[in-house]
Amino acid sequence: MGQPESREGEQSVLPPGQRLQRGWPVTHYGPVPKFRPERWEFRVFGALADPAGRDRWNHEEFSALPYTTVTADLHCVTKFSMTNAEWGGVAARTLLGLAPPAPAVTHVMAWAEYGYSANMRLSDFASERTILATHKDGELLTAEHGFPVRLIVPHLYGWKGPKWLRGIEYMTTDRRGFWEERGYHNLGDPWREQRYSYQEEPGEGPEL
Ligand SMILES: Nc1nc2c(c(=O)[nH]1)N[C@H]1C(S)=C(S)[C@@H](COP(=O)(O)O)O[C@H]1N2
Ligand SMILES: [Mo]
């Protein structure tokens, strides 16, 4: 295989075992949820620093939060990568500032429609590149790509970024999410090819 291509002649380096995918495929388990703006709200729950503080935003309020962009690749554990996307939305750090976690929080669970979930360390969520994306390349996300909000954690495999994101749970211990319970690696770093749970080293996850 030749060098992966990317825009503007820039050489993009892919994590081991990944190949470049032309276009942007749709990958998820289950149906695409219907967006009902009047019922939609985004919630932060679990171990909040201030349990009486702000913890929910309706769609209009969420859309008015500070907007930022992050250019990042999407690496699916099934081995294709989509490179050089400009994600637009709310930085995870902005959310952490608006609804701070209690000092004991070590992990978060990102929750989506239909109970899809993905766990990660608080430090992964707090990365300055983690974004609650509403846009890609300046356009609103389409329904099948996660409209109205999806999580993008650029340094982790794609399954760690739920589409149709509805909330963030602050946790004081680690707990496995949807794919992490189904044989996928608890940490999911594509640069270390942390694909499957059988590859986990002691301490890389809660007990199976
Ligand atoms: N809610 C939800 N989000 C999800 C998934 C899913 O099954 N359900 N699949 C994940 C996986 S495995 C990948 S690779 C990316 C794919 O995003 P895309 O369909 O926009 O390319 O979405 C992630 N987010
Ligand atoms: Mo994936």
Side-chain angles (χ1 to χ4, degrees), residues 27 75-78 80 157-159 179:
T27 313
H75 306 297
C76 179
V77 72
T78 63
F80 71 81
Y157 280 116
W159 88 77
W179 286 120

Side-chain angles (χ1 to χ4, degrees), residues 1-15 18-23 73 75 80-85:
M1 219 205 271
Q3 283 293 326
E5 293 167 55
S6 66
R7 287 178 212 168
E8 282 140 26
E10 195 184 296
Q11 211 65 257
S12 80
V13 179
L14 296 182
Q18 295 296 113
R19 60 176 184 277
L20 190 70
Q21 172 86 38
R22 283 218 161 268
D73 303 341
H75 306 297
F80 71 81
S81 293
M82 189 270 281
T83 59
N84 266 306

Side-chain angles (χ1 to χ4, degrees), residues 56-111:
R56 60 194 66 200
W57 291 263
N58 67 26
H59 187 244
E60 198 184 332
E61 294 162 341
F62 191 91
S63 307
L65 294 177
Y67 184 90
T68 188
T69 62
V70 171
T71 298
D73 303 341
L74 186 69
H75 306 297
C76 179
V77 72
T78 63
K79 300 200 166 178
F80 71 81
S81 293
M82 189 270 281
T83 59
N84 266 306
E86 188 202 76
W87 304 102
V90 180
R93 287 201 175 175
T94 299
L95 194 74
L96 288 164
L98 292 168
V105 171
T106 54
H107 292 79
V108 312
M109 190 74 80
W111 286 100

